[in-house]
Amino acid sequence: MINQLSWKVGGQQGEGIESTGEIFSIALNRLGYYLYGYRHFSSRIKGGHTNNKIRVSTTETRSIADDLDILVAFDQETIDVNYKELNKTGIIIADTKFKPVRPDDTDAALYSIPFTEMAAELGTSLMKNMVAVGSSSAVLGLDIHVFNEVVEEIFGRKGAQIVQKNLEAIREGYDYMKALLGNNQGTLELAKADGQKRLFMIGNDAIALGALAGGCRFMAAYPITPASEIMEYLIKKLPPLGGTVIQTEDEIAACTMAIGANYAGVRALTASAGPGLSLKMEAIGLSGITETPLVIVDTQRGGPSTGLPTKQEQSDLMAMIYGTHGEIPKIVMAPSTVEEAFYDTAEAFNLAEEYQCPVIILSDLQLSLGKQTVHPLQFDQVEIRRGKLVTDPIPEPADKAYFKRYEVTEDGVSPRVLPGTKNGIFHVTGVEHDETGKPSEVASNRKKQMDKRMRKTKNIRFNTPIHKNCKHEDSDLLIVGFNSTRGVIEEAMDRLEQEGIKANHAHVRLIHPFPADEMLPLVRRAKKVVVIENNATGQLANILKMNVGHADKITSILKYDGNPFLPHTVHTECKELFEYGNI
Amino acid sequence: MATFKEFRNNVKPNWCPGCGDFSVQAAIQRAAANVGLEPEGMAIVSGIGCSGRISGYINSYGFHGIHGRCLPIAQGVKMANRDLTVIASGGDGDGFAIGMGHTIHAIRRNIDITYIVMDNQIYGLTKGQTSPRSAAGFKTKSTPQGSIEPALSPMEMALTAGATFVAQSFSTDLKDLTAIIEAGIKHKGFSLINVFSPCVTYNKVNTYDWFKENLTKLSDIEGYDSSSRETAMQTLMAHNSLVTGIIYQDLQRKSYQELIPGYAETPLTQADLHLDQGSFDKLAAEFM
Ligand SMILES: Cc1ncc(C[n+]2csc(CCOP(=O)(O)OP(=O)(O)O)c2C)c(N)n1
Ligand code: SF4
Ligand SMILES: [Mg+2]
């Protein structure tokens, strides 16, 4: 009996690899296991190797495993590309149809099962995925009754017969594997899980749900990987709440439409990835200078240009902080877990209205698309705060004077009136303007308005700007990261601790304005600071240096090959840095 | 009820004396009063250009955005608050060059807003470069040998893009222009109104006199049927698009907002921002 294992299914894109992983993991989730998934896919629909790697555990897990226990292969390429990941007790389960060959340099056992043939005999070879799911279940020693419910949910609308056939396919795969395993039964059997029902979702689900909970009622967006799930979810869920999603002609339209809607008083969202964010830049500046609330999601992927559209990267950081010409107040937040993605998105709408500025929710491909077990989301923690929104009647102004929408105030935030309000007329312009919004190029006014805007986010109130796991007063290493690397870092930390290295962990959740006051003491008390980031230039390390100094002890461990970090890499590279590193 | 004077504010336009845009401003103010609007019930979203300044010169809510994007901003405003009368406005460069993608799709989408283009066949604000509306051969600072690209016909383009209201007018003809803007505001869907609004400073070809000579009023064409797209297209082609009046109107097609399933009848701005615990639990349960 083991407490955790790593399972991977692979084949040609468009062959149902996704659904094999999906059905298997939904069942495991129902049984109460903790899961963490990773999808390897490319930017094409049919063909090309794709795989889905899932870590299954009886306790919480937030990262991909270093190695692999079970590889389910629908073609030889899957074996060839992935077998090196298999550990000593690892096994390959492959479709007999392609005459699988076991590579010479592996200890892994190969079990050949006629997935396709068995499925075809049951009616359609499409069900080969179900046979594979059944076989996998046999290795893990699962009670396959759990599939009754899952298959019914997925295929129920196609009729009872289809449900029945799929269940039979699972059962046959299960029995066949059992027989093959013979004496090897049990080596990869998973300890029973607690049977608790838990949420199982991707970061984009949490972002979309967070938007709904946070009062978002309109979204304008243009499809792009890895952001589209957000719009696809909201178009299903917004209409019952009176709202909707518009798929616009491009991201410039999406962003400016969201600005128009926010100006009019609806909480509106737009979401994209790097290429779309590049197009939104001018509009972000418009939101900044006109002090119009705006919430934008950037699900980072490999750049620049089309870059690695389906791969992990964290290279939009600087662009998100500084992007748009000129200078504006802006908030950039970076949730590091699916749970945080939910709370942060809901909160982003509050911050956008309180500080009347653009708020960017930074995610990355692994956080946005990695499907995982999630703690219960506490809806009662979600607040709706609308800042200085004027709701009281406004007295009639003398001589058609405009409302001072851009009144210079101590905290920089001015009262905000929505169009349609009687006696509240004011002007909005991207041109520098006076307190009523009328264009003005007067130098003293420019300075006043600029100072007022930039003042707004100086003392931003933000709950937990840094997620800290800092039990050492003085640490050998301070490991810093943001977004989806949280889990790998935590796992690497455990290993470093076991080896006697005192490591602290700071995961930055508020990227801008940077929480320097909170970060500085952690950096001071560390011998070395290592920033883990999926980019080539060490963007977060540079931000750290800019904000807290100590450049001499800050370095990065970088990965920009499109794949997420493994705990092993972070662990060994941190250790090397600690032991030999001359930073 | 508000009179057109109530749509005047105390800002003095910085347009050149004689600029066609003055009359467009006056016509919007009159039309707004004629259809019974109150200043706070109207939002004018404008682009960047001499023409784009118009939102600052009318006493109503105004949003002067970025170059070429008045349409998506205006559509966002209307989506958020369907009770507002939303007018988008800008220049020919704004709408038919940098913002052309939005123009075509706003036409297709048919959200109930009115789009007024101040068409002077040139870039005014940047001091006289060619525009997609400049005729072939037109000499400007950026086409010193004369433009070698043909002029676009926005009216023909609108017809092919599925427009439900297509009209053209001339800025000196205040009565006609006011009536057309009124009809545009009343039209339930997207209305495109192209207004010949001469730039007296940089366009010495398409002058007031030139338009007077070359324009044909549709009201002078006997039996003109604005409900026929075919007639509309043929008439435009026959007159090199130099006609004024309501060229085409589709009274049947429903506006975008009328077609959205579930979309609230009351402004979205009034929607309750809070979910209740029960609905949230239901949404969350779908992920179990
Ligand atoms: C993105 C961007 N590119 C260029 C400009 C410069 N610019 C301002 S207005 C304008 C063209 C104005 O022409 P038109 O839209 O016809 O308006 P008009 O001034 O003629 O009324 C240009 C190119 C800008 N403001 N923004
Ligand atoms: S430059 Fe032309 S368009 Fe601009 S204000 Fe002067 S006359 Fe009008
Ligand atoms: Mg022009």
Side-chain angles (χ1 to χ4, degrees):
Chain A
M1 286 271 205
I2 51 177
N3 288 317
Q4 65 133 322
L5 61 75
S6 184
W7 176 90
K8 184 187 265 190
V9 58
Q12 290 295 300
Q13 219 149 257
E15 270 202 319
I17 304 306
E18 295 283 301
S19 60
T20 315
E22 182 78 6
I23 290 166
F24 192 49
S25 45
I26 290 177
L28 287 162
N29 184 61
R30 295 280 165 88
L31 291 168
Y33 292 102
Y34 288 86
L35 306 168
Y36 187 91
Y38 168 64
R39 283 169 56 202
H40 169 100
F41 64 110
S42 25
S43 199
R44 55 192 275 195
I45 306 304
K46 296 266 180 200
H49 174 68
T50 181
N51 69 56
N52 196 341
K53 185 173 176 181
I54 298 162
R55 192 172 193 183
V56 192
S57 172
T58 53
T59 53
E60 192 173 342
T61 172
R62 282 193 195 279
S63 79
I64 317 167
D66 291 320
D67 54 10
L68 193 60
D69 296 286
I70 302 167
L71 176 62
V72 178
F74 282 99
D75 58 10
Q76 186 63 35
E77 187 182 355
T78 298
I79 298 180
D80 296 343
V81 172
N82 299 288
Y83 79 93
K84 288 221 158 98
E85 264 180 69
L86 285 161
N87 56 31
K88 285 227 152 47
T89 52
I91 63 168
I92 302 168
I93 312 174
D95 193 350
T96 312
K97 187 184 168 196
F98 68 87
K99 302 194 182 75
V101 180
R102 193 178 75 115
D104 297 333
D105 56 340
T106 179
D107 297 329
L110 171 70
Y111 296 93
S112 177
I113 299 183
F115 293 153
T116 308
E117 204 186 309
M118 285 161 76
E121 268 170 30
L122 280 169
T124 161
S125 58
L126 286 176
M127 291 188 304
K128 63 185 178 188
N129 305 308
M130 293 300 165
V131 182
V133 165
S135 307
S136 301
S137 304
V139 181
L140 271 60
L142 303 183
D143 175 359
I144 56 170
H145 286 107
V146 66
F147 289 103
N148 293 352
E149 191 182 86
V150 179
V151 170
E152 171 65 39
E153 277 165 32
I154 296 171
F155 297 106
R157 59 193 165 82
K158 292 189 179 167
Q161 213 197 338
I162 304 271
V163 172
Q164 208 40 50
K165 290 275 178 211
N166 277 283
L167 287 173
E168 272 173 49
I170 292 174
R171 158 68 62 189
E172 288 195 10
Y174 180 90
D175 291 342
Y176 197 102
M177 187 75 214
K178 272 249 159 203
L180 273 189
L181 280 172
N183 286 342
N184 286 335
Q185 211 100 235
T187 28
L188 288 174
E189 199 175 313
L190 263 183
K192 290 272 165 300
D194 62 8
Q196 274 220 30
K197 260 199 171 187
R198 291 188 184 85
L199 294 169
F200 181 50
M201 59 208 297
I202 58 173
N204 282 349
D205 293 332
I207 289 171
L209 190 58
L212 281 186
C216 169
R217 294 297 175 263
F218 179 66
M219 178 178 191
Y222 189 80
I224 192 167
T225 304
S228 298
E229 292 78 9
I230 302 168
M231 70 185 286
E232 288 163 5
Y233 179 80
L234 287 176
I235 190 58
K236 284 186 274 184
K237 302 301 178 190
L238 275 175
L241 300 169
T244 192
V245 176
I246 292 187
Q247 178 177 326
T248 52
E249 53 275 18
D250 59 32
E251 287 87 347
I252 299 177
C255 197
T256 46
M257 207 179 270
I259 289 173
N262 273 300
Y263 155 71
V266 162
R267 290 190 156 190
L269 174 71
T270 184
S272 189
L277 263 292
S278 290
L279 290 184
K280 290 172 202 240
M281 282 302 164
E282 190 190 12
I284 290 173
L286 178 69
S287 154
I289 193 170
T290 62
E291 308 197 37
T292 308
L294 175 65
V295 178
I296 307 174
V297 179
D298 175 25
T299 56
Q300 298 172 93
R301 64 186 214 183
S305 186
T306 307
L308 292 173
T310 62
K311 300 283 183 273
Q312 165 69 3
E313 203 164 279
Q314 301 178 315
S315 54
D316 294 352
L317 203 55
M318 289 293 187
M320 290 311 106
I321 297 174
Y322 298 110
T324 200
H325 57 282
E327 296 159 307
I328 57 163
K330 196 198 276 172
I331 298 168
V332 184
M333 50 214 289
S336 54
T337 61
V338 173
E339 291 85 350
E340 286 176 9
F342 169 78
Y343 298 113
D344 284 5
T345 307
E347 180 66 2
F349 289 93
N350 291 331
L351 298 176
E353 286 204 290
E354 284 180 326
Y355 297 98
Q356 301 176 9
C357 73
V359 178
I360 297 178
I361 302 164
L362 200 59
S363 176
D364 59 30
L365 185 130
Q366 181 52 22
L367 176 62
S368 274
L369 298 187
K371 201 158 181 175
Q372 54 193 284
T373 305
V374 172
H375 290 293
L377 300 172
Q378 309 291 343
F379 175 62
D380 54 7
Q381 280 184 21
V382 173
E383 290 177 341
I384 307 274
R385 308 186 308 272
R386 305 204 66 183
K388 292 192 188 174
L389 183 66
V390 177
T391 48
D392 293 338
I394 302 169
E396 194 178 326
D399 199 21
K400 292 186 187 166
Y402 274 17
F403 184 85
K404 285 194 179 175
R405 167 69 184 90
Y406 302 104
E407 189 182 341
V408 176
T409 59
E410 211 180 303
D411 62 4
V413 183
S414 319
R416 174 166 160 249
V417 171
L418 302 182
T421 309
K422 194 159 174 63
N423 301 325
I425 288 177
F426 63 97
H427 190 52
V428 178
T429 173
V431 174
E432 188 57 272
H433 42 261
D434 66 14
E435 289 186 307
T436 63
K438 288 179 187 157
S440 164
E441 292 182 346
V442 177
S444 57
N445 174 75
R446 160 69 170 183
K447 187 163 184 314
K448 265 191 216 150
Q449 285 294 324
M450 195 71 183
D451 290 345
K452 157 199 154 28
R453 286 192 295 268
M454 298 314 290
R455 195 155 65 227
K456 290 191 293 185
T457 52
K458 278 255 161 69
N459 298 308
I460 183 178
R461 290 176 306 277
F462 190 90
N463 210 357
T464 334
I466 301 174
H467 163 81
K468 285 179 266 187
N469 176 8
C470 298
K471 49 178 184 262
H472 304 290
E473 185 56 31
D474 293 300
S475 65
D476 296 325
L477 281 182
L478 172 66
I479 307 180
V480 181
F482 71 108
N483 279 149
S484 70
T485 52
R486 168 115 157 235
V488 254
I489 293 176
E490 283 170 354
E491 203 160 326
M493 289 253 300
D494 287 346
R495 298 184 200 177
L496 290 167
E497 284 289 330
Q498 280 169 21
E499 290 165 345
I501 299 171
K502 287 191 275 177
N504 280 344
H505 177 192
H507 222 72
V508 186
R509 292 185 51 191
L510 178 63
I511 302 277
H512 187 82
F514 192 80
D517 292 347
E518 264 201 71
M519 187 57 96
L520 185 57
L522 302 176
V523 171
R524 267 203 196 119
R525 293 184 347 234
K527 285 201 188 93
K528 284 172 187 166
V529 180
V530 189
V531 186
I532 310 296
E533 43 189 330
N534 283 124
N535 58 55
T537 52
Q539 298 188 27
L540 184 59
N542 286 332
I543 290 166
L544 206 57
K545 289 173 194 169
M546 270 169 56
N547 285 283
V548 301
H550 293 279
D552 53 335
K553 60 175 165 183
I554 298 174
T555 191
S556 293
I557 295 178
L558 305 172
K559 189 169 171 65
Y560 42 90
D561 61 1
N563 296 317
F565 279 104
L566 294 174
H568 167 77
T569 324
V570 175
H571 167 220
T572 50
E573 292 199 23
C574 279
K575 197 174 157 188
E576 269 168 37
L577 267 174
F578 169 72
E579 284 171 351
Y580 315 107
N582 296 318
I583 300 173
Chain B
M1 225 172 63
T3 66
F4 76 89
K5 286 187 181 147
E6 278 161 77
F7 288 89
R8 284 188 186 155
N9 65 11
N10 40 35
V11 182
K12 192 175 160 291
N14 62 5
W15 291 317
C16 308
C19 175
D21 297 350
F22 283 102
S23 310
V24 180
Q25 173 199 5
I28 293 175
Q29 289 163 332
R30 277 159 206 267
N34 291 352
V35 299
L37 297 179
E38 295 297 329
E40 70 269 12
M42 180 162 80
I44 303 190
V45 182
S46 61
I48 302 295
C50 295
S51 47
R53 288 293 181 124
I54 198 162
S55 60
Y57 302 152
I58 292 174
N59 190 44
S60 74
Y61 282 93
F63 195 120
H64 179 225
I66 42 180
H67 192 29
R69 320 299 169 197
C70 68
L71 280 175
I73 297 173
Q75 291 170 88
V77 174
K78 186 69 181 183
M79 288 303 294
N81 188 345
R82 64 190 304 171
D83 283 358
L84 283 175
T85 295
V86 179
I87 293 181
S89 56
D92 45 326
D94 202 78
F96 303 138
I98 190 165
M100 183 54 129
H102 308 311
T103 304
I104 297 245
H105 293 283
I107 290 171
R108 280 181 58 229
R109 199 171 283 129
N110 201 34
I111 293 178
D112 185 11
I113 62 173
T114 303
Y115 180 33
I116 301 169
V117 182
M118 285 156 265
D119 179 3
N120 53 13
Q121 300 84 34
I122 195 140
Y123 284 13
L125 191 69
T126 45
K127 300 190 174 15
Q129 299 84 6
T130 187
S131 124
R133 290 283 302 124
S134 305
F138 186 61
K139 284 189 179 162
T140 68
K141 283 186 187 157
S142 58
T143 51
Q145 310 295 323
S147 173
I148 50 177
E149 297 174 29
L152 176 97
S153 166
M155 301 291 95
E156 288 178 23
M157 178 214 68
L159 288 177
T160 60
T164 57
F165 185 102
V166 184
Q168 201 156 245
S169 191
F170 181 29
S171 75
T172 48
D173 199 346
L174 191 59
K175 224 178 100 199
D176 179 79
L177 177 56
T178 305
I180 283 182
I181 295 175
E182 277 175 48
I185 292 175
K186 287 186 195 151
H187 177 73
K188 289 197 177 356
F190 185 82
S191 27
L192 170 64
I193 303 169
N194 191 58
V195 186
F196 298 116
S197 178
C199 169
V200 294
T201 307
Y202 297 110
N203 192 335
K204 306 293 185 194
V205 176
N206 309 104
T207 59
Y208 287 100
D209 286 342
W210 186 89
F211 281 112
K212 270 180 205 140
E213 248 166 61
N214 288 285
L215 287 176
T216 302
K217 284 189 175 194
L218 290 175
S219 53
D220 291 343
I221 299 177
E222 228 191 272
Y224 183 78
D225 176 10
S226 65
S227 72
S228 162
R229 206 156 76 110
E230 198 180 335
T231 308
M233 191 61 104
Q234 275 170 357
T235 310
L236 284 172
M237 287 176 151
H239 292 84
N240 194 22
S241 292
L242 290 167
V243 297
T244 56
I246 296 176
I247 298 165
Y248 177 69
Q249 185 169 17
D250 179 348
L251 292 164
Q252 311 304 319
R253 200 173 130 203
K254 287 195 163 128
S255 77
Y256 186 88
Q257 283 165 307
E258 288 170 289
L259 292 171
I260 304 171
Y263 184 68
E265 305 258 321
T266 49
L268 255 190
T269 46
Q270 290 165 19
D272 187 2
L273 298 189
H274 301 262
L275 294 178
D276 57 80
Q277 182 72 48
S279 345
F280 179 78
D281 291 343
K282 247 192 179 152
L283 290 168
E286 291 175 15
F287 294 104
M288 285 187 183

